[in-house]
Amino acid sequence: MAGQINLIINDRSIAAREGMTILEAALSKGIYIPHLCHHHELEPVGACRLCLVEIQGEWKKTVISCKTPVKEGMVIKTETPEINRTRQVAMELLIADHDTDCLVCGQNTKCKLQQVADHVGVNKDRLGRLKPRAERLPIDDSNPFFDFDPNRCVLCGICVRTCDELQNINAIDFAYRGLGTKIAGFGNKPRIESNCESCGECVVRCPVGALTEKGAKNPTHQIRTVCTFCGCGCGLYLGVRDNELVSARGDRKSEANNGRLCVKGRFGYKFVNNPERLTTPLVKRDGEFVPVEWDEALDIIADRFSKTGPEEFATIASAKCTNEDNYVVQKFTRAVMRTNNLDHCARL
Ligand code: FES
């Protein structure tokens, strides 16, 4: 078939699409190759060196599978004594430079580093020979929605590429060199002072617990729905625990957003359970807000509107409303209040 490449991985014949990398071809057939810096939505960079495989036969060599395209007739081994030894050393160096407080880490059990360590196997005695990091690096908690803990960062660069390739924002990059390398915003200033838009796309792709949502709780069940913040119609899953909204994540099957969300869709759900939320209309009397019934509030509004001239009146419609609601708002403004002083929050 045109565009089909036939190859053998671990003695198993598989068919891959032309242009796929060895790693993509293997993963698509359920063959696990350890990897940390690969993300299917991002350009490969080959930073972690964990995805090594051996190409046998005429092309015999060891390569990183996340950057090597498949070729017709390739014969590949994903595990050999030499590859396993190399992976183990790469793993040990990563773990020696990484916090091992897994039990208090928000990524525990979901962490890719744990997954690779389980697969590769880590020798405690050998780990003991490596010098841990001399001092703890400060946690950047300046962003109101998420924290960055460089002590848990494995420098895979997935956050950097997400910010650049998917979001086109470029708020962060690798800073410094050698052992001092870290992910930082321009001038190594707190994240809140960078041009970060707090979309959280880096947080959801972080393979370890370096980027974590503030106050995150694991939901017990999730409900598929559509974001109500604007008219884009992004699909998302809202997570619920003890009848409280505790999380939001993009729906990868939604054609409107392919699983991506903006700051409002991802982090703007906490108002739902906020105890300060208004539950009744309030009317200001003698400088104080007083709760009243809806009928009374609507009568007051109607009375004031009837005494308001066209040039004293303006409406701002809302992206949170349906098209039909917004149509009625403009009709009311133009036909009843007799003014064109009308705008929409999406323009602000
Ligand atoms: Fe290939 Fe990291 S996944 S080098």
Side-chain angles (χ1 to χ4, degrees):
M1 197 197 296
Q4 178 175 303
I5 304 281
N6 301 297
L7 67 159
I8 297 174
I9 302 184
N10 297 344
D11 303 321
R12 191 175 142 197
S13 297
I14 68 163
R17 245 184 310 107
E18 196 176 354
M20 271 183 157
T21 63
I22 297 173
L23 180 62
E24 286 168 338
L27 293 178
S28 74
K29 299 294 175 198
I31 302 169
Y32 178 67
I33 300 175
H35 58 275
L36 211 47
C37 67
H38 162 80
H39 192 283
H40 66 279
E41 293 169 306
L42 303 170
E43 288 296 319
V45 287
C48 72
R49 321 307 280 184
L50 288 164
C51 66
L52 295 175
V53 294
E54 187 179 287
I55 303 177
Q56 303 187 317
E58 56 170 316
W59 298 304
K60 184 164 171 58
K61 61 180 165 185
T62 302
V63 296
I64 47 171
S65 59
C66 68
K67 281 195 83 150
T68 310
V70 288
K71 280 197 190 136
E72 184 67 30
M74 263 182 173
V75 179
I76 291 155
K77 284 275 182 212
T78 65
E79 315 263 332
T80 67
E82 194 193 0
I83 286 175
N84 290 346
R85 246 195 332 273
T86 313
R87 271 196 199 129
Q88 217 156 22
V89 173
M91 237 0 249
E92 285 163 3
L93 291 171
L94 279 170
I95 292 177
D97 205 29
H98 184 87
D99 268 3
T100 45
D101 55 351
C102 297
L103 287 181
V104 293
C105 174
Q107 274 299 87
N108 191 22
T109 72
K110 294 174 277 180
C111 172
K112 278 259 191 98
L113 191 64
Q114 283 177 334
Q115 188 187 359
V116 178
D118 275 355
H119 184 89
V120 172
V122 179
N123 183 329
K124 258 190 160 165
D125 298 335
R126 283 172 53 86
L127 257 188
R129 299 172 315 153
L130 297 169
K131 229 164 120 192
R133 196 196 295 267
E135 51 175 331
R136 287 188 59 74
L137 299 169
I139 293 172
D140 184 345
D141 60 0
S142 62
N143 186 289
F145 307 109
F146 59 83
D147 296 333
F148 172 57
D149 183 350
N151 305 291
R152 291 182 182 156
C153 177
V154 289
L155 297 174
C156 64
I158 286 179
C159 54
V160 174
R161 282 176 283 148
T162 299
C163 198
D164 173 19
E165 293 171 27
L166 298 184
Q167 301 302 98
N168 297 312
I169 296 171
N170 278 306
I172 46 173
D173 207 337
F174 289 93
Y176 307 100
R177 290 291 177 269
L179 286 178
T181 307
K182 61 184 270 192
I183 305 294
F186 184 71
N188 194 20
K189 293 195 184 132
R191 193 73 52 113
I192 196 67
E193 291 178 36
S194 72
N195 56 336
C196 169
E197 292 184 2
S198 303
C199 63
E201 289 295 322
C202 57
V203 179
V204 289
R205 284 177 184 74
C206 179
V208 292
L211 283 161
T212 45
E213 184 180 343
K214 278 190 162 70
K217 287 187 198 163
N218 285 332
T220 48
H221 64 283
Q222 299 182 58
I223 297 154
R224 187 166 177 239
T225 183
V226 175
C227 180
T228 56
F229 271 107
C230 79
C232 287
C234 296
L236 79 169
Y237 282 89
L238 293 176
V240 179
R241 185 187 188 98
D242 296 332
N243 208 26
E244 192 184 322
L245 203 48
V246 294
S247 69
R249 70 176 171 88
D251 176 4
R252 292 200 176 275
K253 293 206 177 115
S254 164
E255 288 179 5
N257 57 319
N258 290 324
R260 281 146 73 180
L261 294 172
C262 73
V263 57
K264 293 184 282 180
R266 188 177 310 288
F267 299 118
Y269 59 86
K270 293 188 177 139
F271 74 92
V272 174
N273 296 103
N274 192 318
E276 287 179 13
R277 215 176 143 183
L278 298 184
T279 52
T280 58
L282 299 174
V283 171
K284 209 172 205 179
R285 287 189 179 132
D286 301 327
E288 293 284 319
F289 281 113
V290 182
V292 293
E293 294 298 321
W294 275 103
D295 283 348
E296 186 182 347
L298 290 171
D299 284 347
I300 293 171
I301 292 167
D303 181 52
R304 300 249 175 104
F305 277 10
S306 66
K307 292 176 184 149
T308 304
E311 287 314 308
E312 298 168 299
F313 188 87
T315 307
I316 294 185
S318 170
K320 281 184 150 193
C321 298
T322 61
N323 282 342
E324 290 77 8
D325 285 343
N326 278 316
Y327 176 81
V328 171
V329 166
Q330 69 81 27
K331 202 73 184 163
F332 176 81
T333 307
R334 293 196 169 117
V336 179
M337 299 308 293
R338 304 236 159 251
T339 178
N340 288 325
N341 294 336
L342 172 70
D343 210 335
H344 189 280
C345 72
R347 239 173 44 81
L348 300 180

